[in-house]
Amino acid sequence: MSTTGTPTTTGDLSELPDMLAPELIADPYRGYGRLREQAPVLRASFMGAGLTWMVTRYADVHAVLGDPKFVNNPASVPGMQVPNPVEKLMESFGLSEEDARFLGENILSSDPPDHARLRKLVSRAFTVRRVGELRPRVEEITSGLLDGLAAGSEPVDLVERFCYPLPITVICELVGIPEADRPAWRDWGRAMVSMDPKRMPPALHGMVASVQALIEVRRSAPGDDLLTALIRAHDDGDRLSDEELTTFVVTLVMAGHETTAHLLGNSVAALLAHPDQLALLGERPELWPTAVNELVRCCGTALLTGLRYAAEDVRLGDVLIKAGESVSPILVAANFDPRQYTDPDRLDVTRQPVGRGEGHVGFGHGAHYCLGAALARQEAEVALHALFDRFPRLALAVPESELVWQPVPGSRRLERLPVTLR
């Protein structure tokens, strides 16, 4: 990876920071932190699919995410034919154009007016009130999983036995996916994040077929679940098409359990590495909501967002982003920016947000702010509080240096989290 800090618009890809660089995948905190201090905006190679502008500092990341002049779909750039590097990536993963549309053409990649329409139709299921109503069930699922841990042998892989089962159960119950189908969804999710071209196509086929079959079932036998509500949802006569329904459910289940599962795993590892902060939470359990906000800042699964595209010429500091050029907002670099946070590398469960809102960009910002953020926060608060309350002597079963992180670009995920409970 290049150590030069001068932004450039040209040059050999080998001379530019590469988001697939082993050192960035192995240690994204230091790696992206070094890039942040070299320059606020710099050219980078985007996973072998071309050039992008990497935006690393909090103020600029926040500005890009909130600025409607940056769009998610390159087709939204007026008057230009902008190549979509995601299509090239989909091909490299072995996905056909027909399959890829269920991943590439969703609420995450849409722009106004389509995005506003889709978000309005589906957001009613994620209101604060609706999420609050789910809390007793989240607590019940958590308690049952902890009972299972207590009854088993040690050491325990917390990722396998706790961090994954909780969010996949919650999101599948919310959507209405039958219990018998949930192990398959978990396997499909793991196959999709593996980026293995042999595993991804059959996994995506399985998810799409499962949702399409479930839509037909819910049309004839409605249930008390999100899918039934989405089938019925309408606004001024507008409804979701079957393809939109399928795409949204696939996106929601994938995003709703993978990111939360690894937020839980990352958070447990971080708290065990900071026993003073864990002890403080034991003494002051009312701090758990604040702690979760800090853990999202420090330990979030997503290190960067999908690409944004300049719909017109936009200047970020001294750099001119030309219409049609792509930008990669680096969340992990922004969330550790010393210009925004005092002592940003320190985990502080008492840290209060700076300015309005959460004070970080762990869930994004602007029109594409994470739809399930409130649910993810609630699951993390319930799960972490209950876990450490039930097992106050919980400890790593291996040295911290032996924890294995998955080599997934743009993401921070533990392969396993072996712990002892007593």
Side-chain angles (χ1 to χ4, degrees), residues 267-346:
S267 296
V268 171
L271 289 169
L272 292 177
H274 295 81
D276 59 323
Q277 297 300 293
L278 190 52
L280 184 57
L281 288 167
E283 297 165 4
R284 299 175 57 191
E286 71 276 8
L287 286 174
W288 272 110
T290 305
V292 167
N293 194 59
E294 172 74 342
L295 290 164
V296 172
R297 180 187 76 86
C298 293
C299 309
T301 307
L303 304 178
L304 47 90
T305 75
L307 294 178
R308 303 296 200 266
Y309 299 84
E312 58 186 74
D313 290 357
V314 183
R315 184 167 291 279
L316 284 178
D318 296 331
V319 176
L320 177 66
I321 312 294
K322 296 181 179 179
E325 290 185 334
S326 65
V327 170
S328 179
I330 309 299
L331 305 180
V332 67
N335 280 338
F336 284 81
D337 189 346
R339 297 157 192 81
Q340 178 70 12
Y341 307 100
T342 302
D343 200 4
D345 294 334
R346 180 171 60 92

Side-chain angles (χ1 to χ4, degrees), residues 232-253:
R232 293 172 172 171
H234 62 87
D235 186 65
D236 295 330
D238 188 19
R239 293 180 181 272
L240 295 167
S241 68
D242 281 8
E243 184 169 321
E244 288 171 335
L245 274 170
T246 303
T247 301
F248 180 72
V249 172
V250 168
T251 302
L252 176 63
V253 177

Side-chain angles (χ1 to χ4, degrees), residues 188-422:
W188 291 331
R190 286 180 165 177
M192 292 303 296
V193 299
S194 73
M195 298 194 297
D196 183 341
K198 293 181 179 179
R199 298 174 63 194
M200 289 182 69
L204 183 56
H205 277 304
M207 288 190 288
V208 169
S210 176
V211 175
Q212 289 174 334
L214 189 58
I215 289 172
E216 293 305 311
V217 170
R218 286 292 175 264
R219 282 212 166 99
S220 58
D224 183 20
D225 54 46
L226 176 60
L227 183 55
T228 298
L230 291 175
I231 291 170
R232 293 172 172 171
H234 62 87
D235 186 65
D236 295 330
D238 188 19
R239 293 180 181 272
L240 295 167
S241 68
D242 281 8
E243 184 169 321
E244 288 171 335
L245 274 170
T246 303
T247 301
F248 180 72
V249 172
V250 168
T251 302
L252 176 63
V253 177
M254 281 284 295
H257 83 273
E258 279 286 336
T259 54
T260 304
H262 290 288
L263 170 63
L264 293 177
N266 297 355
S267 296
V268 171
L271 289 169
L272 292 177
H274 295 81
D276 59 323
Q277 297 300 293
L278 190 52
L280 184 57
L281 288 167
E283 297 165 4
R284 299 175 57 191
E286 71 276 8
L287 286 174
W288 272 110
T290 305
V292 167
N293 194 59
E294 172 74 342
L295 290 164
V296 172
R297 180 187 76 86
C298 293
C299 309
T301 307
L303 304 178
L304 47 90
T305 75
L307 294 178
R308 303 296 200 266
Y309 299 84
E312 58 186 74
D313 290 357
V314 183
R315 184 167 291 279
L316 284 178
D318 296 331
V319 176
L320 177 66
I321 312 294
K322 296 181 179 179
E325 290 185 334
S326 65
V327 170
S328 179
I330 309 299
L331 305 180
V332 67
N335 280 338
F336 284 81
D337 189 346
R339 297 157 192 81
Q340 178 70 12
Y341 307 100
T342 302
D343 200 4
D345 294 334
R346 180 171 60 92
L347 177 67
D348 179 3
V349 299
T350 69
R351 190 187 298 271
Q352 296 298 315
V354 177
R356 298 176 59 187
E358 296 165 328
H360 59 73
V361 288
F363 288 122
H365 173 65
H368 284 271
Y369 178 80
C370 176
L371 194 62
L375 180 58
R377 280 195 302 269
Q378 177 177 277
E379 289 182 55
E381 181 191 339
V382 169
L384 295 172
H385 187 178
L387 175 69
F388 286 108
D389 189 53
R390 181 75 169 269
F391 303 113
R393 297 181 182 178
L394 187 143
L396 287 179
V398 298
E400 184 181 356
S401 60
E402 293 184 13
L403 292 177
V404 177
W405 297 89
Q406 295 180 14
V408 179
S411 188
R412 190 67 167 163
R413 301 162 180 263
L414 276 167
E415 185 70 37
R416 292 173 296 279
L417 183 55
V419 299
T420 56
L421 305 175
R422 303 172 184 89

Side-chain angles (χ1 to χ4, degrees), residues 7-224:
T8 177
T9 58
T10 61
D12 188 332
L13 287 180
S14 64
E15 298 299 319
L16 299 170
D18 185 351
M19 294 181 183
L20 283 179
E23 56 266 43
L24 273 184
I25 296 174
D27 189 354
Y29 303 104
R30 293 182 186 178
Y32 283 116
R34 284 193 295 268
L35 293 172
R36 181 191 60 232
E37 298 312 310
Q38 289 170 19
V41 185
L42 65 163
R43 267 311 208 190
S45 169
F46 179 71
M47 301 183 185
L51 290 171
T52 188
W53 289 105
M54 193 187 304
V55 182
T56 57
R57 297 183 183 174
Y58 181 90
D60 293 321
V61 168
H62 196 266
V64 168
L65 295 178
D67 190 340
K69 291 192 291 292
F70 289 98
V71 296
N72 284 27
N73 190 335
S76 300
V77 179
M80 297 183 68
Q81 293 287 334
V82 180
N84 189 342
V86 175
E87 293 176 357
K88 184 176 179 180
L89 284 174
M90 294 293 185
E91 291 178 11
S92 70
F93 296 153
L95 299 172
S96 68
E97 183 177 342
E98 182 178 355
D99 289 337
R101 76 179 191 274
F102 290 105
L103 290 181
E105 299 176 11
N106 56 45
I107 192 170
L108 303 179
S109 62
S110 62
D111 295 304
D114 286 343
H115 178 260
R117 168 185 165 269
L118 290 171
R119 188 146 183 142
K120 187 173 184 179
L121 285 168
V122 303
S123 62
R124 298 164 190 168
F126 296 94
T127 63
V128 173
R129 181 184 63 81
R130 174 62 175 145
V131 170
E133 291 172 351
L134 292 172
R135 188 179 184 107
R137 181 57 182 145
V138 174
E139 292 172 343
E140 183 180 7
I141 296 167
T142 299
S143 180
L145 290 170
L146 296 179
D147 288 343
L149 294 181
S153 59
E154 298 188 41
V156 172
D157 178 3
L158 217 57
V159 169
E160 177 73 20
R161 298 282 304 281
F162 184 69
C163 300
Y164 258 101
L166 174 61
I168 190 66
T169 302
V170 171
I171 199 67
C172 284
E173 284 195 5
L174 176 65
V175 171
I177 293 173
E179 187 171 355
D181 294 345
R182 293 171 195 171
W185 275 91
R186 183 172 173 179
D187 291 341
W188 291 331
R190 286 180 165 177
M192 292 303 296
V193 299
S194 73
M195 298 194 297
D196 183 341
K198 293 181 179 179
R199 298 174 63 194
M200 289 182 69
L204 183 56
H205 277 304
M207 288 190 288
V208 169
S210 176
V211 175
Q212 289 174 334
L214 189 58
I215 289 172
E216 293 305 311
V217 170
R218 286 292 175 264
R219 282 212 166 99
S220 58
D224 183 20

